[in-house]
Amino acid sequence: MSDIQTREVSYHAGSLRMKAFLTWDDEVTGRRPGVLVVHEFWGLNDYARNRAEMLAELGYTALAIDLYGEGKVAADRDEAGQLMTQLLADLPECRARFSAALELLKNHATVDENRTAAIGYCMGGGIVLHMARYGLDLDVVASFHGSLPLAIAPTGEGGDVTARIVAYNGEDDSFIPAEAIKAFKAEMEKTGADYQFINLPGALHGFSNPEATAKGQQFNMPLRYDALADQSSWAHLQLLLQSAFRT
């Protein structure tokens, strides 16, 4: 039996109030690893919350974070693009918002602060790769149909990559051209990172999100849910987390 607890939590990154979603299983005793979940460019919606609850069901404490502030969720593609553009225009501020969420997670009574991971989707996938490239102390970082260019640090920037990294990519994702994949792999090799790049055959952007196909049709975007790609990437992530945390 499990006893999944959920909380809407507020915290600050500088002067900006952030609204996140925290979840854990009260039937699990003692401290356990904590996992951040980073949302797509739509904002912290039910999809990110659902992924956090799935992690809680696996025995982790999960925090679906807010990177836009005040829990903003875009109503359409244009608003999502604007919110993402504003966020990525100031990457140091983005890193500060991420770090504030990580500190909140680490300080929760159920979390072993020495065992942490981060997963992200779409924009969020790129951001977790970015944080790993800038040396944030995480054990595992996993990107699902993420923006690979965010993993590349300008000359003179970045840090020592300590996280085990996996990037799950849709082989037919038109947002991620071959050049971006080549550059990502070169960056990982340059840093000596422990990484895996997994190209899922036939999968498009958004392959993990059951709402992707409908959103693609609604907003004229090349998105499609792929049940097999979703299930296989999630199963692989579970193995990776178990290996890293020996759970």
Side-chain angles (χ1 to χ4, degrees), residues 147-160:
S147 178
L148 299 181
L150 284 171
I152 299 174
T155 302
E157 294 190 21
D160 294 332

Side-chain angles (χ1 to χ4, degrees), residues 26 50 52 72 74 76 87 95 123-124 128 169 180 184 214 234 240:
D26 249 358
N50 290 340
K72 292 189 185 77
D76 55 37
L87 177 71
R95 293 194 291 272
M123 177 194 78
V128 298
N169 186 70
F184 168 74
W234 188 253
L240 180 61

Side-chain angles (χ1 to χ4, degrees), residues 5-11 18-24 33-39 44 48-56 60-66 97-108 110-111 117-120 128:
Q5 302 293 306
T6 63
R7 301 284 189 277
E8 300 286 342
V9 294
S10 295
Y11 59 102
M18 323 301 286
K19 296 181 179 180
F21 177 79
L22 181 69
T23 179
W24 70 95
V35 185
L36 295 179
V37 180
V38 188
H39 55 76
L44 176 50
R49 289 183 173 89
N50 290 340
R51 286 295 179 182
E53 288 195 66
M54 290 171 69
L55 287 162
Y60 305 109
T61 294
L63 181 70
I65 75 174
D66 169 22
R97 295 179 186 183
F98 187 104
S99 296
L102 180 59
E103 285 306 305
L104 178 70
L105 178 66
K106 285 182 172 182
N107 288 329
H108 193 261
T110 64
V111 174
I119 70 173
V128 298

